[in-house]
Amino acid sequence: MTGGPIAMGPIASTVGGAVGGILIILIVIIVVIIVFKRRRNDGNPSKTGNIEEQFQASAGFQDTSLEENDYSGNASNLNSERTTPRSTRPKPAVAVKPDVRRTKSLDLDFTDGSPERSSNKPIGTREPIPVAQFPAFVNKNRHTALFSEEFHDLPGPDIYPQTVAREQINFKKNRYKNILPYDSARVKLEVIDDIPHSDYFNASYIPSFDDDKAYIASQGPNKTSMDDFWRMVWQENVTTIAMVTKLQEGDKIKCRQYWPDRKGQSVEFGTIKVELMELEPCTGGVARRMVMRKGEESRRVTQFHFTEWPDKGVPKHTSSLLKFIKEVKADHGQYTHPLIIHCSAGVGRTGVVTSIDSVVAHAKRTRMVDVFNFVTNMRQKRPYMVQTQEQYAFIYGAVLEDLLWRNTLIPVIHFTDHLQDLHTSGDGRGRSKMTKEFQTLKSLCPDPSASQTRSGRTPDNHPKNRYGNNLPLQRNRVILDSPDHDYINASQMKGVHCTFMTTQMPLPATVSDFWSMVLNYKPSTIVMLNDKSQNDKTSHTVTQYQFHGWPKHGSDQQSGARSLIKLIRAVKGVVLGEQVCFALLWSASLR
Ligand SMILES: *[C@@H]1O[C@H](CO)[C@@H](O)[C@H](O)[C@H]1NC(C)=O
Ligand SMILES: *[C@@H]1O[C@H](CO)[C@@H](O)[C@H](O)[C@H]1NC(C)=O
Ligand SMILES: *[C@@H]1O[C@H](CO)[C@@H](O)[C@H](O)[C@H]1NC(C)=O
Ligand SMILES: *[C@@H]1O[C@H](CO)[C@@H](O)[C@H](O)[C@H]1NC(C)=O
Ligand SMILES: *[C@@H]1O[C@H](CO)[C@@H](O)[C@H](O)[C@H]1NC(C)=O
């Protein structure tokens, strides 16, 4: 038998046995960070790839000048109650609830003949928001009903009815030439072989603020419409396609694969032959560089395929979608032919991507942000554009992030200079760039809603929090193993090389939870960042002794006993009883 030696590894840890009153004077944020061993998939190439992508994506947009994105003038207002961000914008002058009236008001709305949104149209509109006030506006309304109200005030799908009766109504109103029936926004294909319906594909031109055919919002083709999809790409001289759905989600087919499988492979779609030339990673998915050939002529087209949109809802973070959009735009360049954006139906996610791109571009030029009127306008071209409230609110968050976005990636050789600059340069009001950057960060990371932190708020769990602020989020909180008792104020954070868990210094009542967490998640290292002296009066050191020599059945009892006696000697002063029997011996020493 292995006369198991006694392993005495002092796991150093200080446990706060603090009493309430003392906690109040602890100003420091007490954090214990638990470092995990590198997980297997942490070493995968996509990680490294991401960093490179980030670098490239950022490097490509360095011209996003500080000047242009400088919100410093109002930075201090971002989280301040004293500002007067408009909590609600002016309501439309006419009640918009009943669809009929909304329709009517829209009719009246456009009598000026302008196909563009016009700032002086009084009904069914909301005022654009000055860029400088936008951060405060968004943060103020993230948890109010405003975005939801706006969403419900958008034109419904029936504003341009299609039944005969309604057509008659429409006919009577035909003098409003600028009210385009949905049909007029559709992309008409050339009729082939005199087949009347061969001109149809379910796609619509969507204007940006200054270009009537900036985008084509399209359905993802199905098996029968793939040839028509490619006819459209050819006919409209499209060079860039943004696809924002997976081919299949759950058990639903969302779109047919309309491109060749492998590099070098060609597939014929009607009269157009498509060859896949290159496959490259892009943010959130893959870019496929293809060549289309028709007769003698050949043209290039690139499809950017974003696959990170979850089955339902919206992406967790705006950043990767924003980067994706930037890459798409960089490829599309100043090209004047439409950018095709499609998902499955070509209205929900497609509407989100189109809105973000267009609203941001407009805001950068005019310093005004106009989500509501843009989406309203889109809905007059294609029904259902932007399908859910959640998607609608997501647009606001994404536009905000894009407007505040700055290239913060610093090449190592410039770091010292950059740091110097952050500390010294001011905004003329005595604030450093560092302060400004931190303010920006705060406005991009707003306080979570109550439902996002609900576990930490239950009456049972409330006492397990050290302070009153910063509850862990549902989506990355650390969940303990026991079902009714799974809460601890701790969060998991993905690092570049490993996963971290951050947690508060345990309270007397949560020490056992802390150790349950350690047992459950098996961290390799515990790093304590608060000074022991800050807790001195009410804390003590815990040493863990692990006994490896417990005799197995039928093996040498005697050397086992000797080892145990050694252990007992080693653990002087610690109450030893039955607990010694357990391989891990911390519970005894915690009181
Ligand atoms: C800051 O916001 C106020 C309104 O809150 C506005 O009048 C002012 O022009 C803004 N300043 C800058 C520099 O944008
Ligand atoms: C493909 O979509 C078109 C409408 O876009 C529809 O008419 C047709 O039935 C669909 N075909 C299949 C095989 O789903
Ligand atoms: C596409 O380009 C061709 C020339 O390459 C041109 O004749 C045609 O009008 C263009 N189509 C559109 C919709 O711009
Ligand atoms: C085109 O697609 C949209 C979005 O799925 C849908 O609402 C509309 O009915 C379709 N139109 C036709 C004619 O199929
Ligand atoms: C939860 O722990 C964090 C440290 O990880 C701490 O900053 C925060 O104040 C704690 N929250 C509460 C409500 O005590």
Side-chain angles (χ1 to χ4, degrees):
M1 113 124 218
T2 63
I6 298 165
M8 281 172 286
I11 289 186
S13 181
T14 302
V15 177
V19 201
I22 292 168
L23 299 181
I24 299 166
I25 57 166
L26 290 181
I27 312 158
V28 284
I29 297 173
I30 299 174
V31 185
V32 178
I33 300 178
I34 301 180
V35 186
F36 278 78
K37 284 201 192 106
R38 222 168 199 272
R39 294 206 168 158
R40 209 184 310 155
N41 56 358
D42 274 346
N44 73 21
S46 79
K47 279 259 150 149
T48 337
N50 271 344
I51 295 167
E52 278 161 22
E53 276 162 30
Q54 268 171 23
F55 179 77
Q56 280 158 9
S58 307
F61 295 93
Q62 285 184 350
D63 58 347
T64 315
S65 68
L66 287 177
E67 205 50 52
E68 167 150 333
N69 280 342
D70 196 347
Y71 293 77
S72 58
N74 280 1
S76 65
N77 293 342
L78 294 185
N79 290 312
S80 152
E81 285 301 309
R82 281 175 296 111
T83 52
T84 49
R86 284 170 287 166
S87 54
T88 53
R89 278 183 272 163
K91 285 278 190 179
V94 165
V96 286
K97 272 264 157 62
D99 281 349
V100 187
R101 285 172 80 184
R102 189 187 310 163
T103 307
K104 205 167 165 191
S105 71
L106 281 164
D107 287 353
L108 296 170
D109 225 348
F110 285 84
T111 48
D112 65 356
S114 158
E116 290 261 339
R117 52 175 283 290
S118 60
S119 51
N120 57 350
K121 62 184 179 182
I123 298 162
T125 65
R126 305 208 177 200
E127 277 179 27
I129 305 155
V131 157
Q133 290 167 23
F134 192 63
F137 176 82
V138 173
N139 286 324
K140 177 117 188 168
N141 289 300
R142 276 188 207 262
H143 305 309
T144 71
L146 182 74
F147 297 152
S148 148
E149 280 168 26
E150 285 194 7
F151 181 75
H152 288 290
D153 289 351
L154 292 168
D158 49 354
I159 48 169
Y160 301 124
Q162 283 151 348
T163 64
V164 176
R166 287 180 180 180
E167 267 172 18
Q168 279 168 356
I169 291 169
N170 243 8
F171 180 73
K172 276 195 280 179
K173 293 180 180 173
N174 251 358
R175 63 198 140 118
Y176 303 126
K177 293 277 187 271
N178 53 327
I179 299 176
L180 306 175
Y182 289 170
D183 274 358
S184 70
R186 82 178 175 94
V187 180
K188 282 198 192 86
L189 303 179
E190 281 151 26
V191 173
I192 43 171
D193 301 336
D194 293 329
I195 305 166
H197 294 300
S198 62
D199 74 341
Y200 178 76
F201 186 77
N202 191 332
S204 318
Y205 297 110
I206 302 293
S208 64
F209 283 91
D210 57 5
D211 177 0
D212 274 353
K213 292 185 174 179
Y215 312 96
I216 290 175
S218 163
Q219 254 181 11
N222 63 15
K223 212 165 186 168
T224 52
S225 60
M226 281 199 296
D227 294 0
D228 294 335
F229 180 82
W230 281 108
R231 278 209 291 144
M232 174 173 77
V233 173
W234 186 274
Q235 178 186 310
E236 298 299 310
N237 295 334
V238 169
T239 56
T240 312
I241 300 167
M243 170 167 174
V244 282
T245 176
K246 294 191 254 293
L247 289 172
Q248 184 170 358
E249 292 179 0
D251 51 7
K252 280 202 179 131
I253 303 284
K254 292 289 187 171
C255 177
R256 284 288 162 182
Q257 182 181 328
Y258 56 86
W259 59 87
D261 256 331
R262 293 185 314 276
K263 205 171 131 176
Q265 195 186 20
S266 307
V267 177
E268 278 178 36
F269 298 96
T271 54
I272 297 166
K273 191 171 178 180
V274 179
E275 183 178 350
L276 181 58
M277 310 301 284
E278 288 295 337
L279 271 169
E280 295 162 12
C282 71
T283 299
V286 62
R288 300 184 177 91
R289 302 210 179 270
M290 297 180 266
V291 167
M292 314 179 272
R293 293 193 179 84
K294 186 179 175 183
E296 296 295 289
E297 204 180 336
S298 72
R299 298 184 193 163
R300 295 182 164 274
V301 61
T302 305
Q303 181 225 43
F304 290 82
H305 188 180
F306 187 81
T307 54
E308 282 181 3
W309 207 300
D311 286 15
K312 300 219 164 59
V314 297
K316 244 187 222 155
H317 306 289
T318 49
S319 0
S320 72
L321 185 63
L322 289 176
K323 261 193 234 158
F324 172 80
I325 294 175
K326 286 198 157 89
E327 287 166 22
V328 169
K329 292 297 281 189
D331 184 85
H332 189 243
Q334 296 305 308
Y335 202 64
T336 48
H337 297 299
L339 168 66
I340 291 185
I341 301 176
H342 79 85
C343 45
S344 187
V347 293
R349 302 172 190 191
T350 298
V352 172
V353 172
T354 311
S355 304
I356 293 171
D357 184 53
S358 197
V359 170
V360 166
H362 182 249
K364 285 185 173 164
R365 257 202 326 277
T366 63
R367 318 302 292 153
M368 298 298 269
V369 182
D370 199 354
V371 175
F372 181 82
N373 294 308
F374 183 76
V375 179
T376 297
N377 201 30
M378 277 201 307
R379 287 227 178 158
Q380 288 160 7
K381 307 294 176 195
R382 188 169 173 83
Y384 302 113
M385 289 295 273
V386 184
Q387 267 178 309
T388 64
Q389 263 179 55
E390 197 189 11
Q391 288 178 344
Y392 186 74
F394 182 84
I395 296 171
Y396 272 96
V399 169
L400 174 64
E401 180 168 335
D402 198 296
L403 290 176
L404 290 183
W405 187 86
R406 230 163 265 170
N407 182 17
T408 50
L409 193 83
I410 308 146
V412 171
I413 49 162
H414 296 145
F415 186 75
T416 318
D417 292 345
H418 186 86
L419 187 63
Q420 184 77 7
D421 186 49
L422 280 181
H423 279 306
T424 53
S425 305
D427 59 352
R429 301 180 182 197
R431 275 194 323 245
S432 67
K433 280 189 185 167
M434 186 77 93
T435 309
K436 275 161 51 188
E437 194 167 304
F438 189 63
Q439 298 276 13
T440 304
L441 189 69
K442 281 204 285 192
S443 78
L444 289 177
C445 308
D447 291 341
S449 63
S451 69
Q452 288 174 301
T453 55
R454 60 183 174 277
S455 293
R457 292 174 186 273
T458 66
D460 276 358
N461 292 336
H462 195 257
K464 299 178 189 170
N465 297 312
R466 182 173 276 275
Y467 304 110
N469 60 350
N470 297 336
L471 290 161
L473 292 170
Q474 295 305 111
R475 68 162 179 258
N476 65 330
R477 76 182 180 91
V478 173
I479 296 173
L480 302 179
D481 225 0
S482 56
D484 302 332
H485 200 75
D486 71 358
Y487 178 80
I488 180 167
N489 177 8
S491 305
Q492 308 214 39
M493 312 272 166
K494 253 210 160 99
V496 176
H497 297 298
C498 60
T499 298
F500 295 93
M501 290 169 105
T502 58
T503 186
Q504 64 185 19
M505 187 71 196
L507 294 162
T510 65
V511 170
S512 61
D513 296 336
F514 178 88
W515 288 111
S516 300
M517 173 170 74
V518 173
L519 263 184
N520 286 174
Y521 290 87
K522 302 189 174 44
S524 60
T525 313
I526 297 175
V527 181
M528 189 174 116
L529 298 175
N530 50 314
D531 190 339
K532 187 179 151 212
S533 68
Q534 291 160 343
N535 282 29
D536 229 331
K537 290 197 186 99
T538 54
S539 67
H540 57 261
T541 299
V542 177
T543 305
Q544 182 220 44
Y545 295 85
Q546 184 176 4
F547 183 64
H548 290 303
W550 199 261
K552 294 184 183 66
H553 179 70
S555 54
D556 188 345
Q557 303 272 337
Q558 211 168 0
S559 75
R562 272 198 302 275
S563 302
L564 186 58
I565 289 165
K566 270 203 229 163
L567 173 72
I568 292 169
R569 286 201 188 116
V571 191
K572 286 192 290 272
V574 178
V575 184
L576 288 178
E578 292 294 322
Q579 288 96 327
V580 186
C581 304
F582 299 104
L584 295 166
L585 179 84
W586 46 57
S587 54
S589 52
L590 290 177
R591 269 286 43 162

